[in-house]
Amino acid sequence: MQPFTQLPRHRPALVAVGHGSRDPRARATLARLLDRVRALRPGLDVRLAHIELNAPLLDDTLAELAAEGREAVLVPLLLAPGYHVTHDLPAALAAVPELRARVAAPLGPHPLLVEALADRLAEAGWTAADSDSAATGVVLASAGSRDPRSAATLRRIAAALGARLGGTPVVAAYASAAAPTVPDAVAALTARGRHRVAVASCFTAPGLFATRSAAHAPWIAADPLGAHPALARLVLHRYDGAARARTALPATPARELASI
């Protein structure tokens, strides 16, 4: 992949939107991720915002950008479509009609995401021999959503990760709001003779759900994606896609939202 080059200052600000967490590690982890994004794209205005629980809150960040007369692209630090992506982010933009902005697609599915997931598993102890073993399996743990598009996305990510791991079965599972749960997915793999089950963490940062999911791992558990270099490149890829869509349309004061 070619290195990212510096962009003119008139480019829209990149607002990376995390959910927010009571875990103090979460905000620090996302801050490190955005430091990587800034290093890849010098001169780009990159800001962190949260839907809830942590400062700066998204509403405050959008109001600040509007007051500065800026434009923005919101990049959800979320893995799949769900209520936050399809409702909360557009609603936040609608509350600031003077701000010209778009919402980028969520992070998944994408090969860069799969690269980060596989690397985190390798850091936890997964080896090439495990990919060749008939005794191994992986549970891809994520937060979960009642939106059927979210489950479909996670299944696509699981399939791509399985292919990356040499055909190892990977089952998508959820910490809340959807089935199967992580323990149920572990049990299902075990029933298929897969007695060495790893848990891959499809979370951008540490938090309650990531910690609970990891605790159910009977073998190894990967860390959340965090400031992985591939995730930083993926954030910029989502930003660029939404920014290109913005410039391809006629100038208009109307709200502009990327397709999800």
Side-chain angles (χ1 to χ4, degrees), residues 8-257:
R9 291 187 178 275
H10 68 265
R11 292 281 282 180
L14 188 165
V15 180
V17 186
H19 179 275
S21 172
R22 292 183 176 85
D23 189 319
R25 298 172 296 171
R27 190 185 188 286
T29 298
L30 296 185
R32 289 193 296 273
L33 172 62
L34 296 193
D35 283 343
R36 284 193 180 273
V37 172
R38 295 183 186 99
L40 288 169
R41 190 69 60 85
L44 180 63
D45 184 357
V46 178
R47 308 189 191 193
L48 175 62
H50 302 88
I51 296 170
E52 60 182 359
L53 298 174
N54 297 125
L57 291 172
L58 178 58
D59 292 346
D60 295 335
T61 298
L62 297 181
E64 183 179 80
L65 286 164
E68 295 171 6
R70 298 295 308 279
E71 299 181 12
V73 170
L74 276 58
V75 179
L77 299 181
L78 303 166
L79 284 304
Y83 188 82
H84 295 307
V85 174
T86 61
H87 179 270
D88 288 343
L89 270 59
L93 287 183
V96 192
E98 65 273 26
L99 177 66
R100 182 181 171 99
R102 294 180 68 87
V103 179
L107 298 178
H110 195 275
L112 286 170
L113 176 60
V114 174
E115 177 183 336
L117 288 165
D119 281 356
R120 289 292 188 238
L121 277 172
E123 291 166 4
W126 187 276
T127 67
D130 294 318
S131 294
D132 293 334
S133 172
T136 56
V138 176
V139 172
L140 180 68
S142 70
S145 169
R146 292 182 178 86
D147 190 322
R149 292 172 296 178
S150 178
T153 296
L154 267 296
R155 287 193 295 269
R156 290 176 62 190
I157 297 169
L161 180 59
R164 172 98 180 203
L165 298 176
T168 298
V170 179
V171 178
Y174 310 97
S176 69
T181 65
V182 174
D184 287 345
V186 169
L189 284 167
T190 302
R192 293 163 56 184
R194 301 282 174 166
H195 301 293
R196 286 164 57 85
V197 178
V199 171
S201 185
C202 205
F203 298 92
T204 53
L208 178 63
F209 288 160
T211 300
R212 284 181 176 173
S213 297
H216 292 299
W219 176 36
I220 58 174
D223 287 337
L225 298 165
H228 191 282
L231 199 66
R233 300 200 304 273
L234 179 52
V235 168
L236 282 169
H237 177 75
R238 293 303 194 216
Y239 167 85
D240 288 338
R244 283 193 297 269
R246 177 192 65 88
T247 56
L249 294 173
T252 172
R255 179 67 51 227
E256 296 179 1
L257 301 177

